[in-house]
Amino acid sequence: MLRVGLTGGIGAGKSTVATRLAEHGAVLIDADRIAREVVEPGTPGLAELVAEFGDDVLTPDGALDRAAVAARVFADEQSRLRLNAILHPLIGARTAELVAQAPPDAVVVHDIPLLVEGGHAAGYHLVIVVDAEEAVRISRLVDARGMSEEDARARIAAQADRRQRRAVADVWLDNSGSRDLVLAEVDALWADRLVPFEANLRLRRPRPPGSPHIVAHDDTWPAEAERALARIRLAAGDRLVRADHIGSTAVAGLDAKDVLDLQLTVPTLDDADAISDALSDAGFVRGEGHWFDHPQDDGATPRARWDKRLHYGADPARPVNLHVRSVQGPAWRLALLFRDWLRASPAEVAVYTDIKYRLARAHAGDGTIEHYADEKQAWVDVAFRRAEMWAERTGWTP
């Protein structure tokens, strides 16, 4: 199933987006509702809280006195840690139960206010952040919730800021305007991204081939790559050696196809095969067939092909090629060297850019990048030698 994290600051209007996604058929899991549910009267959770903090955390009718708990934990760090030690396992267990009940083709939307603060983003295939201008949020909190302006500002200041939320946002929804505007964005998101993303994931469907198309360098590519790499690192677990953004989109100022090339380095290709399903489940579907890199040789003694594994990003709005290479082979190092050499060589970037555009025009009607890539490889093979000389001269190491 597709796991979507939905978050946003207080007063941003996250519930509007959550409700609309549920109307489209998403399975909505509300973290705040679960947090209340696990400490209702008669639950083991409430009994644990009373045993830990005493009867003064109860109201006269036996319910949890949330104000009393808040006053205690916000004034005492140890109390906060003890509270979390009780609640987090209960919330996690209940969340897992609800996810397990969802059908295999579900789009599960987890409405979680503290997704950023809790460092949970990598656990979702996609993170949606709902935002609004601070003045709009304050107005909503004062008018709709009866807060004082001072209290509203304090609540906003206590949460993750806009920069922190942008770092994890695959989708950024500005809800400062009318309700109809953000609902139209949600409708398009559901139809154009979430539904096909779920299908690609469930059916293990790779990205369809297409002709090469070069676009201007996008300054958001590194941040997009880092979000994908966080998911890859989580899926790889202890078989990870390193994970990196490689290729043209990793070089500032270099125009490229709008496809992120990422590299996962593992101890052996047996390790690559062992985590293949985990990577596919995380949103990076394994490509069928025999994949390898062009071997580099001295012209006299050809070397065996450099085998690897290739996975494709299942998100239709963010194409990704994930190259899984063994540290036992030379290709992982060469990919990093080529990237760093280009970053240090503006003149080479200019030449490479011209070659890319010329070959993309020549192969615009191919319907595949195969011939474009084969012709480009001739320049790359020679460039590798210049990169190796640069590495020797500068003392570069991966």
Side-chain angles (χ1 to χ4, degrees), residues 242 246 263 265 306 325-327 329-340 384 387-392 396-398:
R242 59 186 293 165
I246 60 169
Q263 176 173 267
T265 307
W306 297 349
R325 295 179 170 118
S326 166
V327 74
W332 71 275
R333 172 192 169 277
L334 197 55
L336 296 173
L337 169 60
F338 187 60
R339 178 200 67 187
D340 291 353
F384 282 155
E388 290 287 8
M389 290 188 288
W390 171 82
E392 185 175 353
W396 176 90
T397 55

Side-chain angles (χ1 to χ4, degrees), residues 241-272:
V241 174
R242 59 186 293 165
D244 299 275
H245 184 195
I246 60 169
S248 297
T249 59
V251 180
L254 179 54
D255 298 351
K257 301 188 304 298
D258 187 21
V259 180
L260 300 179
D261 280 292
L262 308 177
Q263 176 173 267
L264 171 62
T265 307
V266 294
T268 69
L269 288 180
D270 286 341
D271 292 298

